[in-house]
Amino acid sequence: MLDHGAPPHSPRTTAPPSLGARLMRRKPVERLVAEGGQGEGGTLRRSLGLWQLTMISIGATLGTGIFVILGEAVPKAGPAVVVSFVIAGLAALFSALSYAELAGTIPVSGSSYSYAYATMGELIAWVCGWCLILEYGVSVAAVAVGWGQYLNDLLKGTIGVTLPAALSAPPGDGGLFNLPALIVVLLAMTFLLGGAKESARANTVMVCVKIAALVLFCAIGVQGFRSGNYSPFMPLGMSGVSAAGATVFFSYIGFDAASTAGEEAKNAQRDLPRAIMLSLGIVTVLYVLVAAVAVGAKPWRRFNDSEAALAQIMREVTGQTFWGTLLAFCAVIAIASVVLTVLYGQTRILFAMSRDGLVPKAFSRVHPKSGAPRVNTLIVSLFCGVLAAAIPLGQLADATSIGTLFAFALVNVAVVVLRRTRPAMHRTFRVPLSPVLPAVGFVLCVWLMGSLSAVTWVVFGIWMAVGLVVYFGYGHRRSRLAAAPAPAAAEN
């Protein structure tokens, strides 16, 4: 039947893309790179070299697993916690190889969120970004909780007083409000508001302090080493080793913090892969060494979920309070650098998601004087600070681990997909033996996820359900890529 209401030569209208096509729309790599640094009202400043990027990675990593989570992991695995760190480190290594290739190919702030957007489509990118919010935001809170424990140790060793339990522990741990955890997040926020370059300088100083502290611990702790503390080596079996490995895995998230600085690096394609691999190598060696000395100096049954285990070991080995107090002082500075750099990564991921229209524009608004996303930093800092003040460490660590593992698994897939869809693209670093090594990294991530508790999986499921509601209620309709789906599909 003819439509008599239309002109005889009117152009045929194009049918709107299906829901499936909209969910799978991909953002061209060239567009991702071209938009690098651009925000609402200003641009991020490229001021970070290889040294600063490596320090950001080490700052975000070193300290989380040793200064804080060791007391949580040892009761799960016994002396074999050393193996747990090695397994988690291997899982991180395979994923780090994939991160290094993608960071050199797509040097932007979004980290694995942006990599997924370029390879697997918008819905998967959103899921990855939502996991990164869990990974970074919750780990800030987790580390801030441990910072409060070392602050109490420092106060006790110097002036003989400690903060009351009501103000130094969350409700689940016998307190009302963890004030120190909130304070350290607000201090990190103050540095970040000044800009990336100023934050990197402060972080470098703190990283040097923490490395010196861990070397000092090994030098003193080895004096209390007893080989009998390693027998039995694996009292809780391989299941305990894998459970501890899943818990400590969140301590390896630092290497991907460098990838969130892609739009503020001077030479991102050259320096990001180097910073990622260099930082992971340094922290893995230190983690295994410190864990081995700690378990050798103290029977594993006496760790008792202590969040300031290293300071306690120093006091027990020397019989003096001075060394434990000194370590607590170094830990207070060192853990603050983890909060600073991970909080930095969280703000840059939200910056990238905001620029794509998936979260509100406020997160990509750049202050013209500092070149920093100040509104973004304020919102994220206040959220993480309240979270740290209200939730116990163990629950935070496991929630962080599952978000991290999920995001890392997607990065391993993204490498293989981009190799197949854009084989001729210039890469400054290539994962050897691909797709074998990315597949191994994917399997290890899934295996560690399976070792986490049912409660953690329930929390993760609820988090993902909330994320999908937010995406379909806001991000899907406001996506900037929705205005031009055809070029995105053709480009990739």
Side-chain angles (χ1 to χ4, degrees):
M1 181 180 294
L2 295 176
D3 184 359
H4 297 287
H9 300 292
S10 61
R12 181 179 296 177
T13 57
T14 303
S18 65
L19 176 62
R22 295 197 302 271
L23 296 180
M24 294 299 292
R25 55 196 175 206
R26 291 176 289 173
K27 189 171 182 179
V29 173
E30 290 78 7
R31 182 171 172 180
L32 278 166
V33 176
E35 291 179 354
Q38 298 178 17
E40 293 290 327
T43 59
L44 301 177
R45 296 175 182 172
R46 293 193 177 275
S47 59
L48 306 177
L50 176 60
W51 172 252
Q52 290 89 350
L53 293 170
T54 304
M55 289 298 103
I56 287 174
S57 285
I58 296 177
T61 309
L62 193 57
T64 334
I66 294 299
F67 285 112
V68 176
I69 204 62
L70 196 60
E72 294 277 340
V74 172
K76 295 181 180 180
V81 72
V82 177
V83 179
S84 300
F85 273 105
V86 173
I87 291 173
L90 285 174
L93 173 62
F94 289 115
S95 297
L97 291 170
S98 296
Y99 262 100
E101 176 170 328
L102 292 174
T105 308
I106 314 174
V108 293
S109 291
S111 186
S112 52
Y113 155 77
S114 294
Y115 310 152
Y117 212 162
T119 56
M120 291 177 281
E122 186 172 283
L123 178 61
I124 301 299
W126 169 266
V127 169
C128 189
W130 195 247
C131 285
L132 290 174
I133 293 173
L134 181 67
E135 171 190 341
Y136 280 83
V138 177
S139 65
V140 168
V143 180
V145 171
W147 186 84
Q149 296 294 324
Y150 275 99
L151 179 63
N152 255 340
D153 263 34
L154 178 61
L155 292 174
K156 183 177 180 180
T158 52
I159 60 178
V161 298
T162 59
L163 294 172
L167 295 178
S168 60
D173 281 352
L176 296 176
F177 193 76
N178 194 331
L179 182 60
L182 175 61
I183 289 174
V184 71
V185 174
L186 296 181
L187 287 174
M189 178 190 74
T190 303
F191 281 110
L192 291 175
L193 290 175
K197 187 175 183 180
E198 290 72 15
S199 301
R201 287 174 178 170
N203 173 66
T204 298
V205 174
M206 291 188 282
V207 167
C208 292
V209 170
K210 80 167 74 178
I211 292 176
L214 292 178
V215 171
L216 176 66
F217 168 80
C218 291
I220 294 178
V222 74
Q223 299 176 28
F225 190 92
R226 300 290 184 272
S227 59
N229 289 340
Y230 274 87
S231 181
F233 180 68
M234 201 178 292
L236 302 176
M238 195 60 197
S239 61
V241 173
S242 62
T247 296
V248 303
F249 187 83
F250 98 107
S251 62
Y252 284 92
I253 70 169
F255 71 81
D256 67 321
S259 68
T260 67
E263 296 172 25
E264 290 162 288
K266 295 177 182 177
N267 191 337
Q269 289 188 310
R270 182 195 68 187
D271 292 341
L272 285 179
R274 295 178 181 180
I276 289 170
M277 300 308 300
L278 182 60
S279 62
L280 182 62
I282 293 171
V283 300
T284 300
V285 170
L286 282 171
Y287 275 176
V288 173
L289 182 61
V290 173
V293 171
V295 175
K298 183 175 183 176
W300 69 274
R301 291 185 179 85
R302 291 178 49 212
F303 275 76
N304 298 324
D305 293 340
S306 171
E307 290 152 5
L310 300 190
Q312 293 178 2
I313 291 172
M314 293 276 275
R315 283 194 291 266
E316 292 173 3
V317 169
T318 62
Q320 302 175 7
T321 61
F322 171 76
W323 294 109
T325 302
L326 178 62
L327 188 74
F329 170 74
C330 294
V332 165
I333 296 175
I335 297 176
S337 76
V338 181
V339 175
L340 173 66
T341 49
V342 177
L343 193 64
Y344 166 84
Q346 174 69 97
T347 60
R348 271 44 179 186
I349 289 165
L350 283 169
F351 177 88
M353 296 177 73
S354 174
R355 186 172 55 207
D356 292 333
L358 302 186
V359 298
K361 289 183 179 180
F363 289 98
S364 58
R365 189 172 299 135
V366 177
H367 191 272
K369 185 177 180 180
S370 66
R374 286 192 170 182
V375 175
N376 181 343
T377 301
L378 286 169
I379 294 173
V380 172
S381 300
L382 291 176
F383 173 79
C384 292
V386 171
L387 197 67
I391 301 180
L393 172 63
Q395 297 175 20
L396 290 171
D398 284 347
T400 302
S401 291
I402 197 167
T404 305
L405 288 164
F406 192 87
F408 283 9
L410 289 179
V411 168
N412 285 294
V413 174
V415 165
V416 178
V417 172
L418 194 61
R419 285 277 191 100
R420 291 185 179 275
T421 57
R422 303 292 298 273
M425 179 175 290
H426 175 66
R427 291 166 169 83
T428 57
F429 177 86
R430 298 178 71 91
V431 179
L433 301 178
S434 180
V436 175
L437 293 190
V440 173
F442 176 84
V443 170
L444 283 173
C445 289
V446 172
W447 176 59
L448 288 173
M449 288 177 71
S451 300
L452 293 168
S453 67
V455 174
T456 301
W457 274 97
V458 170
V459 171
F460 182 65
I462 294 172
W463 176 258
M464 296 310 301
V466 171
L468 291 175
V469 170
V470 174
Y471 172 69
F472 285 105
Y474 183 92
H476 179 66
R477 295 184 294 107
R478 295 174 180 265
S479 168
R480 291 183 60 190
L481 197 59
E491 193 90 47
N492 287 276

